[in-house]
Short mmCIF file of all heavy atoms in Angstrom, two decimals:
data_model
loop_
_atom_site.label_atom_id
_atom_site.label_comp_id
_atom_site.label_asym_id
_atom_site.label_seq_id
_atom_site.Cartn_x
_atom_site.Cartn_y
_atom_site.Cartn_z
N PRO A 991 -15.12 -26.49 27.47
CA PRO A 991 -13.70 -26.55 27.07
C PRO A 991 -12.79 -26.80 28.29
O PRO A 991 -11.74 -27.43 28.16
CB PRO A 991 -13.43 -25.18 26.44
CG PRO A 991 -14.53 -24.29 26.90
CD PRO A 991 -15.71 -25.18 27.18
N LEU A 992 -13.23 -26.31 29.45
CA LEU A 992 -12.42 -26.46 30.66
C LEU A 992 -12.48 -27.90 31.17
O LEU A 992 -11.52 -28.41 31.76
CB LEU A 992 -12.89 -25.48 31.74
CG LEU A 992 -13.06 -24.03 31.28
CD1 LEU A 992 -13.37 -23.11 32.45
CD2 LEU A 992 -11.80 -23.53 30.58
N LEU A 993 -13.60 -28.55 30.89
CA LEU A 993 -13.76 -29.95 31.27
C LEU A 993 -12.77 -30.81 30.51
O LEU A 993 -12.21 -31.77 31.05
CB LEU A 993 -15.19 -30.36 30.91
CG LEU A 993 -15.85 -31.49 31.65
CD1 LEU A 993 -15.79 -31.30 33.15
CD2 LEU A 993 -17.32 -31.57 31.22
N SER A 994 -12.56 -30.45 29.24
CA SER A 994 -11.59 -31.18 28.43
C SER A 994 -10.19 -31.00 29.03
O SER A 994 -9.40 -31.96 29.10
CB SER A 994 -11.65 -30.65 27.00
OG SER A 994 -10.64 -31.21 26.22
N MET A 995 -9.90 -29.77 29.49
CA MET A 995 -8.58 -29.51 30.11
C MET A 995 -8.44 -30.33 31.40
O MET A 995 -7.41 -30.96 31.65
CB MET A 995 -8.44 -28.02 30.42
CG MET A 995 -8.51 -27.13 29.19
SD MET A 995 -8.26 -25.38 29.62
CE MET A 995 -8.72 -24.59 28.08
N LEU A 996 -9.51 -30.33 32.21
CA LEU A 996 -9.48 -31.06 33.49
C LEU A 996 -9.32 -32.56 33.23
O LEU A 996 -8.52 -33.24 33.89
CB LEU A 996 -10.79 -30.78 34.26
CG LEU A 996 -10.95 -31.49 35.59
CD1 LEU A 996 -9.94 -30.96 36.61
CD2 LEU A 996 -12.37 -31.30 36.14
N ASP A 997 -10.06 -33.06 32.25
CA ASP A 997 -10.02 -34.48 31.91
C ASP A 997 -8.60 -34.85 31.45
O ASP A 997 -8.03 -35.86 31.88
CB ASP A 997 -11.03 -34.70 30.75
CG ASP A 997 -11.41 -36.15 30.59
OD1 ASP A 997 -11.30 -36.90 31.57
OD2 ASP A 997 -11.83 -36.53 29.47
N TYR A 998 -8.03 -33.99 30.60
CA TYR A 998 -6.68 -34.24 30.10
C TYR A 998 -5.66 -34.26 31.25
O TYR A 998 -4.82 -35.16 31.35
CB TYR A 998 -6.31 -33.15 29.08
CG TYR A 998 -4.88 -33.22 28.60
CD1 TYR A 998 -4.53 -34.02 27.52
CD2 TYR A 998 -3.88 -32.49 29.25
CE1 TYR A 998 -3.21 -34.10 27.11
CE2 TYR A 998 -2.57 -32.56 28.84
CZ TYR A 998 -2.23 -33.36 27.76
OH TYR A 998 -0.93 -33.46 27.36
N LEU A 999 -5.75 -33.26 32.13
CA LEU A 999 -4.76 -33.15 33.22
C LEU A 999 -4.84 -34.36 34.15
O LEU A 999 -3.82 -34.89 34.59
CB LEU A 999 -5.00 -31.86 34.01
CG LEU A 999 -4.60 -30.58 33.26
CD1 LEU A 999 -5.22 -29.34 33.92
CD2 LEU A 999 -3.09 -30.43 33.20
N THR A 1000 -6.06 -34.81 34.46
CA THR A 1000 -6.19 -35.94 35.38
C THR A 1000 -5.83 -37.26 34.68
O THR A 1000 -5.11 -38.08 35.24
CB THR A 1000 -7.60 -36.01 35.99
OG1 THR A 1000 -8.56 -35.90 34.95
CG2 THR A 1000 -7.83 -34.90 36.99
N LEU A 1001 -6.28 -37.42 33.41
CA LEU A 1001 -5.96 -38.67 32.70
C LEU A 1001 -4.46 -38.86 32.49
O LEU A 1001 -3.98 -39.98 32.49
CB LEU A 1001 -6.64 -38.67 31.32
CG LEU A 1001 -8.07 -39.15 31.25
CD1 LEU A 1001 -8.59 -38.99 29.83
CD2 LEU A 1001 -8.17 -40.61 31.69
N THR A 1002 -3.74 -37.74 32.30
CA THR A 1002 -2.30 -37.87 32.06
C THR A 1002 -1.52 -37.87 33.38
O THR A 1002 -0.29 -37.84 33.37
CB THR A 1002 -1.78 -36.71 31.18
OG1 THR A 1002 -2.15 -35.46 31.80
CG2 THR A 1002 -2.35 -36.77 29.77
N GLY A 1003 -2.24 -37.85 34.50
CA GLY A 1003 -1.58 -37.89 35.81
C GLY A 1003 -0.72 -36.67 36.07
O GLY A 1003 0.32 -36.75 36.73
N SER A 1004 -1.16 -35.51 35.54
CA SER A 1004 -0.34 -34.31 35.70
C SER A 1004 -0.23 -33.91 37.17
O SER A 1004 -1.21 -33.94 37.90
CB SER A 1004 -1.00 -33.16 34.93
OG SER A 1004 -0.41 -31.94 35.30
N PRO A 1005 0.98 -33.54 37.60
CA PRO A 1005 1.14 -33.09 38.99
C PRO A 1005 0.72 -31.63 39.19
O PRO A 1005 0.80 -31.10 40.30
CB PRO A 1005 2.64 -33.24 39.23
CG PRO A 1005 3.26 -33.08 37.88
CD PRO A 1005 2.25 -33.55 36.86
#
Side-chain angles (χ1 to χ4, degrees):
L992 310 187
L993 205 53
S994 173
M995 299 183 191
L996 178 67
D997 198 24
Y998 174 87
L999 289 163
T1000 49
L1001 274 176
T1002 55
S1004 167

